[in-house]
Amino acid sequence: SGTSIASGRTLFVDNRGPIGAVTMSPFPPLKAGGADLALILDEPAVSTPALTFVIAGTTYPVALEGAGATWVATITVPSANGTEVFRYAATDALGNAGTTLPSGGSFAIDATPPGAPLSLSAVSRPAGVVRLSWSGPIGEPAAAYRVYRDSVALPGTVAPAGDLTGRFDDAPAEGVHTYQTSALDLAGNE
């Protein structure tokens, strides 16, 4: 026997648990330090989902806060390069367990800064402008460059040219100045 359905009635069958998606800020690759994440479920969980990630055989639990289908956390990203995988579990109101993360189930950590830019040169230009130019670092290519005048970072960053070189025009106050450049990778390591 079982439940009978009269004509015109609809029976809803739910036999799977919540499916999750993880988003992170900043967007991976991540450097060592902190990162915010959100776990969004396609249906509410009845209790706090379990979320962990594994690095070099060590499991790190994620302390989620939230309710229903939206959960957030801040994680500490260790200084280890590699691709890390989230493990997840949640249960819906009918007791169905879900462990599927089709979106955001892994993230990359890049804790190694790129090398220093090479061959920095400065040329005096009209109206007191100083034109700096340099070539890219050996090894990991730069995603951006930072320019320092007198050991102080100038605002913003410089995008590399197609050949990974950099160029920056500066109009400093009159006097003697020193310049340095540094390379940043996609994770923000400098």
Side-chain angles (χ1 to χ4, degrees), residues 32-59:
D36 295 324
L37 69 79
L39 172 65
I40 307 300
L41 308 178
D42 69 342
E43 64 177 306
V46 293
S47 61
T48 304
L51 186 66
T52 61
F53 59 96
V54 178
I55 298 177
T58 301
T59 300

Side-chain angles (χ1 to χ4, degrees), residues 146-154 176-181:
R146 183 163 287 133
V147 176
Y148 293 82
R149 179 188 336 115
D150 302 326
S151 300
V152 176
L154 298 178
V176 175
H177 300 283
T178 59
Y179 289 92
Q180 297 90 27
T181 58

